[in-house]
Amino acid sequence: DIVMTQSPDSLAVSLGERATINCRSSQSVFYSSKNKNYLAWYQQKPGQPPKLLISWASTRESGVPDRFSGSGSGTDFTLTISSLQAEDVAVYYCQQFYNLPLTFGPGTKVDIK
Amino acid sequence: EVQLLESGGGLVQPGGSLRLSCAASGFTFSNYAMSWVRQAPGKGLEWVSVITGGSDNTNYADSVKGRFTISRDNSKNTLYLQVNSLRAEDTAVYHCAKNSDGSRYSPSDYWGQGTLVTVSS
């Protein structure tokens, strides 16, 4: 199985400041024949189901604010919130969909400082 | 508007069974793979199972293989998860999720609110 790790476990950022979350996979999730990284980011707010923010490592889903961006390739990925808003308080998960079983990272909790 | 509504959860004794259902609407159900993902209280997300649109392929997490069975009825736009031989560690909210395309290897772009399964004597 591909093991996903995330860092940090939690972070507190001032409103308007940048938040950066890292995700690492135990093996590459880059599918060379399709030139795509099989990596997604989800946001989960308390009491709500997860919401898909980014797929293919860097493709923002429709309706997701452009302050959210994804980057990286192979085994190392980053989710960046360029200017943290109060509504961004949540737990963020990365997921690989390169291999079955699909696996999630343990999550990173983002709070306001 | 895509909607996914799970039902069938509840309190069950160890070794018991339940059948979870997920009623889907707002998209052409048969065109998409569908998944179940669970979340134990206060814990992270765990992928459980996936099924392709035509039910030709199914896959399971090792932790549930042989005990859980995923299925779908495209005529009813409904996804199912038969959960047998339940253990305390199966206690979780079970979310139904729509895959972003027909492939098992795709992210989940819509999720239901989930149904709580509690395994306890």
Side-chain angles (χ1 to χ4, degrees):
Chain A
D1 298 2
I2 297 178
V3 177
M4 306 299 291
T5 57
Q6 289 181 231
S7 63
D9 295 335
S10 64
L11 75 161
V13 175
S14 301
L15 289 172
E17 295 300 305
R18 179 185 299 260
T20 301
I21 301 168
N22 300 301
C23 172
R24 177 168 288 176
S25 55
S26 60
Q27 65 184 76
S28 176
V29 297
F30 179 69
Y31 197 157
S32 54
S33 64
K34 302 204 175 195
N35 195 33
K36 287 186 172 183
N37 286 283
Y38 281 49
L39 190 283
W41 289 97
Y42 298 87
Q43 175 193 63
Q44 188 177 30
K45 297 180 180 180
Q48 295 186 18
K51 174 186 177 182
L52 179 63
L53 294 178
I54 288 171
S55 55
W56 312 109
S58 60
T59 302
R60 215 168 23 246
E61 293 297 297
S62 174
V64 173
D66 61 6
R67 64 181 180 273
F68 291 92
S69 64
S71 63
S73 184
T75 61
D76 289 281
F77 301 90
T78 299
L79 174 70
T80 301
I81 310 172
S82 60
S83 176
L84 192 75
Q85 305 300 304
E87 61 266 32
D88 301 334
V89 168
V91 178
Y92 293 84
Y93 296 91
C94 61
Q95 179 203 36
Q96 66 79 21
F97 48 97
Y98 179 88
N99 252 357
L100 293 166
L102 306 192
T103 47
F104 291 90
T108 295
K109 186 175 182 180
V110 174
D111 268 319
I112 305 296
K113 184 186 292 183
Chain B
E1 179 193 5
V2 172
Q3 292 193 336
L4 300 169
L5 184 61
E6 302 95 335
S7 60
L11 175 63
V12 60
Q13 292 187 338
S17 298
L18 287 171
R19 189 194 199 196
L20 310 183
S21 299
C22 171
S25 61
F27 63 103
T28 305
F29 184 67
S30 59
N31 286 355
Y32 294 88
M34 296 291 295
S35 300
W36 287 97
V37 177
R38 69 184 181 182
Q39 188 167 31
K43 302 297 184 184
L45 301 170
E46 180 187 13
W47 176 85
V48 172
S49 184
V50 66
I51 186 168
T52 49
S55 303
D56 43 332
N57 290 107
T58 60
N59 296 91
Y60 301 91
D62 284 346
S63 58
V64 307
K65 202 172 293 183
R67 300 187 299 123
F68 290 11
T69 303
I70 192 171
S71 62
R72 62 193 295 161
D73 185 336
N74 288 343
S75 69
K76 296 181 178 179
N77 287 352
T78 302
L79 176 72
Y80 302 101
L81 187 68
Q82 178 68 41
V83 297
N84 298 332
S85 304
L86 283 163
R87 308 165 180 167
E89 55 265 33
D90 296 317
T91 294
V93 173
Y94 285 72
H95 293 281
C96 156
K98 169 188 168 291
N99 283 39
S100 62
D101 58 35
S103 169
R104 292 170 288 168
Y105 304 91
S106 58
S108 294
D109 58 358
Y110 289 91
W111 297 61
Q113 287 287 340
T115 187
L116 176 62
V117 173
T118 303
V119 184
S120 175
S121 54

